[in-house]
Each structure stands twice: as C-alpha cells, then as structure tokens.
Amino acid sequence: MEDVFTPLDCLLPSGKQKICLLILNQPLDEDLFYVLWRKAAIRACADGGANRLYQLTAGNQESFVPDYISGDFDSIKPEVKAFYEEKKCRIIQTADQDLTDFTKCLAILLEEIKRYHLQVDTVVTLGGLAGRLDQTMASVETLFHAQKMTELPVLILQGSSLACLLKGGVWHQLRVDTGLEGEWCSLIPIGGPCLTVTTGLKWNLGT
Amino acid sequence: MEDVFTPLDCLLPSGKQKICLLILNQPLDEDLFYVLWRKAAIRACADGGANRLYQLTAGNQESFVPDYISGDFDSIKPEVKAFYEEKKCRIIQTADQDLTDFTKCLAILLEEIKRYHLQVDTVVTLGGLAGRLDQTMASVETLFHAQKMTELPVLILQGSSLACLLKGGVWHQLRVDTGLEGEWCSLIPIGGPCLTVTTGLKWNLDHQVLQFGKLVSTSNTYEPHGADEGKKLVTVKSDQPLLLINKYKLELHGAFNTCA
C-alpha cells in the first residue's frame, strides 16, 4: 500500500490538507503560527502552550482563542488560564501522569474529530523539537503513541525542522516540491534498527 | 562487572576525574566552560566550536588556545582559524564525510591520549544537545561510536542537560551526590528496546523493557531522601546501550573566570 504525502503542504496558504493545530510549551515561530492557525479546523494548547499563545498574540488575544487547553496545568499561568476560560475556551484537566500533556492533548483532539465527524488530513504540532533533549524524546514518544491512536499523520514543527514518524511496512511517497523544503533531511532509527529503502535522496539506502 | 561513576564530578572544582574537553559548534555555557577548561588535560574544538571559543574568550583569546582544532572546516571562520594557527594550535583537517566532526575530533583525542600515555578518566563535550534535532541525533550516534572506540565515558553537556550513553550488560553505579544534580533525569532507549533494572530513582524499572512506543522514562527523579542524608546511589543495568540524560545546576558564578 502506498502512502502519498506532502509534509510541508500545511505551510502553503494554498495547501490542500485540512489540518488541526496543537501548540506545545515552546517558543512559538510567529510566521508558522499565523499560517497554521488560520487553516486549522481545531486549535488547542497543551498546558504552557497557552502561555506561548497568549504572549505571541499580545494586544489581540481575543482573536486567537483556542478551542481547548488541556494538561496537568503545572505550567499555564493563572492569568492566562483565567483569560481563555472567560473567552469560553474549554479548560480540560488531564491528570494522568503516565502520559505527557502532548499525548493527552492529541487524544482529546482525536475524540473531537470523531465526535464532530470532521474531515482532517494532518495534525500539526508547534513546538516539541527544541529545549530539553529528554522532553524532545518525550515528543517523539508521543509520535509513536499517535500511530496506535490514529491513521492521521502527526507532524511536529519547530525552528526550521519538521519531524514526522513514518509508519513501518508501508511505502511512503513524500512530495518535496512545495518550494519550502530546506537543503537537508535525515532519517533517524529512533526506536530501533530499521531495514530501509529509499529513492530520491542524495544518499539512498538499500539500493 | 560494576562501574562506579560520578557524572557531574567533572563540574566540581575539587572533582577527582581527569578530563579532556571537546568543544562543538553550539553556544558555549560560560560557567561550564571555565570550570572544564581549567581541569582539562587536552582541549580541542571541532570545526565551528573554535568560533564559539573565540567569541566567548573575546579580549583574552590567547589565554585559551586549544591543543588542536579538527574538522572539515566548513564552519570555522577564516580569521578564527588563522588566529589559532598563529598561536601554534594544531589545525587538523578531517575530510571523511561518513563521520561527523565530533566523531573525528574524538578519534584524534583518543590517539593523543594514547600517544602521550595520559591518565584520563572522562571525555567531556560542550555542545551537541541543542540546535537541530537531527544534529543532536548525530551527537548521540557519536556516543554509540565512542563505545567501540574507547572504554572512557564520553559525556555531552549543554543547557543544563548532561547526556551519557550507558554501556549495555554492565551494572552502572552512578553517584548523584555532588550537589550539582538537578531534579530530573531520564533514561531513553534510543537505539532500541532496553531490558532495564534500576535502583535509586523515584520510578524504578524492575526488569522492564524501555522502548519507544511502550515505555520511555522521561522526567524521572531521584528516590526521596531525608534532609540529612544525601541522594542514594542510582544503579542502572540494561541489556543494550541506554541514554541517560539528567539535569545539572551549576551555581558557580564567575569564580573561575580567569586566565587558564
């Protein structure tokens, strides 16, 4: 079974993918934010991601109210929480300490997509690839969990990097002609050894 | 075989470990830099790491000349290279594109240690854990290579995180009582599943498999201890190499900001 996907379609204003947006607790890339926010069917923050949103949209926060904020709330500032709550944003406490705020936020998103029968192609996450390395590893762990939770691709974007966990056992056909692709790409066998074949790279594998 | 190690000993001015220092192309933590530079038997930069050194020691660069700078030199600035070359720093071009500048810099270091019969306990690397994620993964890859190149522990420090790849099949006894340990530590099965046992952590592993998609021990911490007793030893055994990442807090401010 082949899987044709354009990872950076989500950043094209004219892009075809219907997306949802999750915001994590990392510095927000302003340019990315506005493109993605506008296209997203559902927008959510995981805990301190709400602080980041509040700060980035200073002076105009009421125009950028997420659909929900979820998490264990050990990072969100009280005034930020109060502000969004007053603007009718749903505040969903998720206390499960075995799963990260990111994983839980994604779980809620998938429930919402199902409940409202939304047509969604991609989940896009802002933040999660920088900061503490172990927290980045936790983001990658969420990508693994995501593969058991949904068929939807889950992307993480931060600091000019896009991360996407390619499912095993499937031919992935990745379109890289949006014009937004940078010069490098990497394949990281992060869960364990990966018997790999590629085409289209400068240094292909398995050929 | 047991292996007793104090990861943060290298940051203690009174620490016992004899270290060597590698500087990679990442923003340099100033406090760390001065503590480590002073203690290091050999100091080296990988390519653009020399730019970072030059910038941090601005006004006093001649007091902080590395023993060598190696790399493919696509990052080092010409004026920086010229400066250190003029100060008799060895400039070693390593063109092999299959290995990163970090790996090659480490290989040269190990040759030097051998050539001069140096007594060294630990290799400490500044930078390598932040910036582009794939480059961080390349640093981790160097830690894997390092295990085939040397018995010496190779540490990477940046941004309050210390990373160390714990060899598989060995009981590691980690002293975590330097006073510099932060509150969190993580065990990341980055190369594949790791059947793991630990003691001394808040959430210990009892012959459990750490594996992406199943269980990854992030934001773990140390076993609670009484106010008058230090943190216990942390012991870890895994059947495969396991990446330890823990927080350090350096509370020395400017105490060692002097000539080498």
PDB file of all heavy atoms in Angstrom, chain A residues 11 28-37 56 126:
ATOM      1  N   LEU A  11       2.090  24.246   5.348  1.00  0.00           N
ATOM      2  CA  LEU A  11       2.603  25.611   5.435  1.00  0.00           C
ATOM      3  C   LEU A  11       2.285  26.448   4.193  1.00  0.00           C
ATOM      4  O   LEU A  11       2.585  27.637   4.155  1.00  0.00           O
ATOM      5  CB  LEU A  11       4.126  25.596   5.651  1.00  0.00           C
ATOM      6  CG  LEU A  11       4.593  24.984   6.968  1.00  0.00           C
ATOM      7  CD1 LEU A  11       6.108  25.122   7.102  1.00  0.00           C
ATOM      8  CD2 LEU A  11       3.905  25.637   8.156  1.00  0.00           C
ATOM      9  N   LEU A  28       7.111  30.049  20.232  1.00  0.00           N
ATOM     10  CA  LEU A  28       6.307  29.888  19.013  1.00  0.00           C
ATOM     11  C   LEU A  28       6.963  30.588  17.833  1.00  0.00           C
ATOM     12  O   LEU A  28       7.358  31.744  17.936  1.00  0.00           O
ATOM     13  CB  LEU A  28       4.914  30.501  19.224  1.00  0.00           C
ATOM     14  CG  LEU A  28       3.858  29.611  19.851  1.00  0.00           C
ATOM     15  CD1 LEU A  28       2.589  30.394  20.126  1.00  0.00           C
ATOM     16  CD2 LEU A  28       3.546  28.426  18.947  1.00  0.00           C
ATOM     17  N   ASP A  29       7.064  29.874  16.723  1.00  0.00           N
ATOM     18  CA  ASP A  29       7.527  30.503  15.477  1.00  0.00           C
ATOM     19  C   ASP A  29       6.378  31.334  14.927  1.00  0.00           C
ATOM     20  O   ASP A  29       5.364  30.803  14.478  1.00  0.00           O
ATOM     21  CB  ASP A  29       7.898  29.423  14.452  1.00  0.00           C
ATOM     22  CG  ASP A  29       9.142  28.660  14.842  1.00  0.00           C
ATOM     23  OD1 ASP A  29      10.214  29.287  14.883  1.00  0.00           O
ATOM     24  OD2 ASP A  29       9.043  27.447  15.125  1.00  0.00           O
ATOM     25  N   GLU A  30       6.565  32.643  14.916  1.00  0.00           N
ATOM     26  CA  GLU A  30       5.450  33.540  14.592  1.00  0.00           C
ATOM     27  C   GLU A  30       4.902  33.306  13.194  1.00  0.00           C
ATOM     28  O   GLU A  30       3.685  33.224  12.992  1.00  0.00           O
ATOM     29  CB  GLU A  30       5.930  34.987  14.738  1.00  0.00           C
ATOM     30  CG  GLU A  30       4.816  35.989  14.644  1.00  0.00           C
ATOM     31  CD  GLU A  30       5.249  37.394  15.035  1.00  0.00           C
ATOM     32  OE1 GLU A  30       6.347  37.558  15.614  1.00  0.00           O
ATOM     33  OE2 GLU A  30       4.480  38.331  14.756  1.00  0.00           O
ATOM     34  N   ASP A  31       5.808  33.188  12.223  1.00  0.00           N
ATOM     35  CA  ASP A  31       5.330  33.008  10.842  1.00  0.00           C
ATOM     36  C   ASP A  31       4.522  31.734  10.696  1.00  0.00           C
ATOM     37  O   ASP A  31       3.461  31.720  10.083  1.00  0.00           O
ATOM     38  CB  ASP A  31       6.527  32.955   9.879  1.00  0.00           C
ATOM     39  CG  ASP A  31       7.234  34.297   9.792  1.00  0.00           C
ATOM     40  OD1 ASP A  31       6.604  35.322  10.153  1.00  0.00           O
ATOM     41  OD2 ASP A  31       8.395  34.324   9.363  1.00  0.00           O
ATOM     42  N   LEU A  32       5.057  30.662  11.264  1.00  0.00           N
ATOM     43  CA  LEU A  32       4.345  29.383  11.198  1.00  0.00           C
ATOM     44  C   LEU A  32       2.991  29.514  11.840  1.00  0.00           C
ATOM     45  O   LEU A  32       1.970  29.025  11.347  1.00  0.00           O
ATOM     46  CB  LEU A  32       5.112  28.306  11.963  1.00  0.00           C
ATOM     47  CG  LEU A  32       6.426  27.792  11.438  1.00  0.00           C
ATOM     48  CD1 LEU A  32       6.818  26.565  12.246  1.00  0.00           C
ATOM     49  CD2 LEU A  32       6.331  27.462   9.975  1.00  0.00           C
ATOM     50  N   PHE A  33       2.971  30.156  13.010  1.00  0.00           N
ATOM     51  CA  PHE A  33       1.748  30.227  13.800  1.00  0.00           C
ATOM     52  C   PHE A  33       0.593  30.790  12.992  1.00  0.00           C
ATOM     53  O   PHE A  33      -0.493  30.203  12.929  1.00  0.00           O
ATOM     54  CB  PHE A  33       1.986  31.065  15.061  1.00  0.00           C
ATOM     55  CG  PHE A  33       0.713  31.418  15.753  1.00  0.00           C
ATOM     56  CD1 PHE A  33       0.046  30.473  16.522  1.00  0.00           C
ATOM     57  CD2 PHE A  33       0.142  32.671  15.594  1.00  0.00           C
ATOM     58  CE1 PHE A  33      -1.171  30.780  17.129  1.00  0.00           C
ATOM     59  CE2 PHE A  33      -1.066  32.991  16.217  1.00  0.00           C
ATOM     60  CZ  PHE A  33      -1.722  32.037  16.978  1.00  0.00           C
ATOM     61  N   TYR A  34       0.811  31.928  12.376  1.00  0.00           N
ATOM     62  CA  TYR A  34      -0.317  32.590  11.697  1.00  0.00           C
ATOM     63  C   TYR A  34      -0.819  31.784  10.509  1.00  0.00           C
ATOM     64  O   TYR A  34      -2.020  31.682  10.280  1.00  0.00           O
ATOM     65  CB  TYR A  34       0.068  34.025  11.295  1.00  0.00           C
ATOM     66  CG  TYR A  34       0.139  34.938  12.484  1.00  0.00           C
ATOM     67  CD1 TYR A  34       1.347  35.465  12.949  1.00  0.00           C
ATOM     68  CD2 TYR A  34      -1.020  35.264  13.204  1.00  0.00           C
ATOM     69  CE1 TYR A  34       1.406  36.288  14.059  1.00  0.00           C
ATOM     70  CE2 TYR A  34      -0.969  36.075  14.329  1.00  0.00           C
ATOM     71  CZ  TYR A  34       0.248  36.578  14.747  1.00  0.00           C
ATOM     72  OH  TYR A  34       0.294  37.386  15.859  1.00  0.00           O
ATOM     73  N   VAL A  35       0.098  31.179   9.751  1.00  0.00           N
ATOM     74  CA  VAL A  35      -0.337  30.350   8.611  1.00  0.00           C
ATOM     75  C   VAL A  35      -1.170  29.179   9.107  1.00  0.00           C
ATOM     76  O   VAL A  35      -2.240  28.875   8.577  1.00  0.00           O
ATOM     77  CB  VAL A  35       0.894  29.794   7.847  1.00  0.00           C
ATOM     78  CG1 VAL A  35       0.467  28.777   6.807  1.00  0.00           C
ATOM     79  CG2 VAL A  35       1.685  30.913   7.211  1.00  0.00           C
ATOM     80  N   LEU A  36      -0.675  28.512  10.158  1.00  0.00           N
ATOM     81  CA  LEU A  36      -1.324  27.299  10.631  1.00  0.00           C
ATOM     82  C   LEU A  36      -2.631  27.596  11.370  1.00  0.00           C
ATOM     83  O   LEU A  36      -3.624  26.891  11.205  1.00  0.00           O
ATOM     84  CB  LEU A  36      -0.362  26.517  11.537  1.00  0.00           C
ATOM     85  CG  LEU A  36       0.870  25.969  10.830  1.00  0.00           C
ATOM     86  CD1 LEU A  36       1.898  25.480  11.847  1.00  0.00           C
ATOM     87  CD2 LEU A  36       0.498  24.846   9.877  1.00  0.00           C
ATOM     88  N   TRP A  37      -2.620  28.639  12.179  1.00  0.00           N
ATOM     89  CA  TRP A  37      -3.826  28.965  12.949  1.00  0.00           C
ATOM     90  C   TRP A  37      -5.003  29.196  12.013  1.00  0.00           C
ATOM     91  O   TRP A  37      -6.101  28.701  12.230  1.00  0.00           O
ATOM     92  CB  TRP A  37      -3.563  30.201  13.817  1.00  0.00           C
ATOM     93  CG  TRP A  37      -4.756  30.590  14.643  1.00  0.00           C
ATOM     94  CD1 TRP A  37      -5.834  31.346  14.251  1.00  0.00           C
ATOM     95  CD2 TRP A  37      -5.001  30.217  16.003  1.00  0.00           C
ATOM     96  NE1 TRP A  37      -6.733  31.465  15.291  1.00  0.00           N
ATOM     97  CE2 TRP A  37      -6.254  30.799  16.366  1.00  0.00           C
ATOM     98  CE3 TRP A  37      -4.305  29.460  16.951  1.00  0.00           C
ATOM     99  CZ2 TRP A  37      -6.802  30.645  17.651  1.00  0.00           C
ATOM    100  CZ3 TRP A  37      -4.843  29.315  18.228  1.00  0.00           C
ATOM    101  CH2 TRP A  37      -6.093  29.901  18.564  1.00  0.00           C
ATOM    102  N   LEU A  56       2.414  35.556  22.305  1.00  0.00           N
ATOM    103  CA  LEU A  56       2.621  35.880  20.886  1.00  0.00           C
ATOM    104  C   LEU A  56       1.532  36.790  20.354  1.00  0.00           C
ATOM    105  O   LEU A  56       1.760  37.644  19.506  1.00  0.00           O
ATOM    106  CB  LEU A  56       2.667  34.591  20.051  1.00  0.00           C
ATOM    107  CG  LEU A  56       2.976  34.821  18.574  1.00  0.00           C
ATOM    108  CD1 LEU A  56       4.427  35.200  18.386  1.00  0.00           C
ATOM    109  CD2 LEU A  56       2.650  33.595  17.743  1.00  0.00           C
ATOM    110  N   LEU A 126       3.004  22.594  16.979  1.00  0.00           N
ATOM    111  CA  LEU A 126       4.054  23.616  17.068  1.00  0.00           C
ATOM    112  C   LEU A 126       4.814  23.432  18.369  1.00  0.00           C
ATOM    113  O   LEU A 126       4.216  23.442  19.454  1.00  0.00           O
ATOM    114  CB  LEU A 126       3.444  25.021  17.013  1.00  0.00           C
ATOM    115  CG  LEU A 126       3.123  25.554  15.622  1.00  0.00           C
ATOM    116  CD1 LEU A 126       2.480  26.924  15.730  1.00  0.00           C
ATOM    117  CD2 LEU A 126       4.373  25.628  14.757  1.00  0.00           C
TER     118      LEU A 126
END
